[in-house]
């Protein structure tokens, strides 16, 4: 399950939707799944959107309060979806966003990823 942003207003700004239902669905998923099956949450780390340590700490804190999540992974942003938007004649907001610096990304991964196994 993708978990893009913890802040409701920022989530709305970047995705067009508030995150109330997403957080609720993650909580329902967590309540309905029992280990050892578990589940994984992933956050695509986008420079200028959710790559600051305060945001990632808040997201990691939310995830650590869940009972049945097996892992919380950070994945690096990549602009590969841009061609899909162009083919659909849609504006792609991340045309000018470069991928995250590998060294910076590895630091964030080491600080905020969670694994229960």
């Amino acid at each position: 399950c993708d978990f893009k942003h913890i802040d409701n207003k920022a989530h709305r700004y970047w995705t067009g939707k508030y995150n109330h239902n997403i957080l609720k669905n993650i909580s329902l998923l967590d309540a309905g799944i029992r280990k050892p099956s578990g589940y994984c949450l992933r956050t695509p780390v986008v420079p200028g959107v959710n790559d600051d340590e305060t945001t990632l700490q808040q997201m990691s804190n939310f995830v650590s309060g869940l009972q049945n999540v097996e892992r919380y992974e950070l994945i690096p942003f990549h602009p590969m979806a841009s061609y899909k938007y162009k083919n659909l004649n849609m504006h792609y907001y991340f045309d000018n966003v470069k991928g995250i610096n590998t060294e910076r990304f590895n630091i964030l991964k080491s600080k905020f990823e969670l694994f229960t196994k």
Side-chain angles (χ1 to χ4, degrees):
C1 175
D2 275 3
F3 178 34
K4 292 181 174 68
H5 212 294
I6 190 74
D7 181 84
N8 194 39
K9 289 179 183 176
H11 194 279
R12 168 90 163 111
Y13 179 82
W14 291 109
T15 68
K17 302 283 182 191
Y18 291 110
N19 67 357
H20 298 295
N21 285 337
I22 293 163
L23 297 178
K24 178 182 172 187
N25 287 338
I26 290 171
S27 294
L28 290 170
L29 174 67
D30 189 69
I33 290 182
R34 298 289 177 244
K35 288 183 179 175
S37 61
Y39 61 98
C40 173
L41 292 176
R42 299 175 309 183
T43 294
V45 180
V46 183
V49 174
N50 63 356
D51 65 330
D52 62 281
E53 292 197 15
T54 299
T55 296
L56 290 171
Q57 182 66 62
Q58 291 171 346
M59 294 175 78
S60 186
N61 289 347
F62 172 81
V63 173
S64 67
L66 300 169
Q67 299 299 309
N68 296 302
V69 66
E70 282 188 10
R71 63 187 185 274
Y72 173 52
E73 297 177 336
L74 302 184
I75 56 177
F77 167 80
H78 56 77
M80 292 175 61
S82 62
Y83 77 93
K84 293 178 187 179
Y85 283 79
K86 288 176 187 171
N87 288 340
L88 295 169
N89 292 318
M90 295 173 64
H91 176 70
Y92 185 63
Y93 291 95
F94 302 104
D95 261 341
N96 296 321
V97 176
K98 304 226 187 278
I100 189 164
N101 172 283
T102 302
E103 185 177 330
R104 168 104 173 108
F105 179 73
N106 288 334
I107 290 169
L108 295 173
K109 277 178 67 83
S110 71
K111 287 184 176 184
F112 301 112
E113 279 192 338
L114 303 169
F115 296 91
T116 61
K117 285 190 170 189

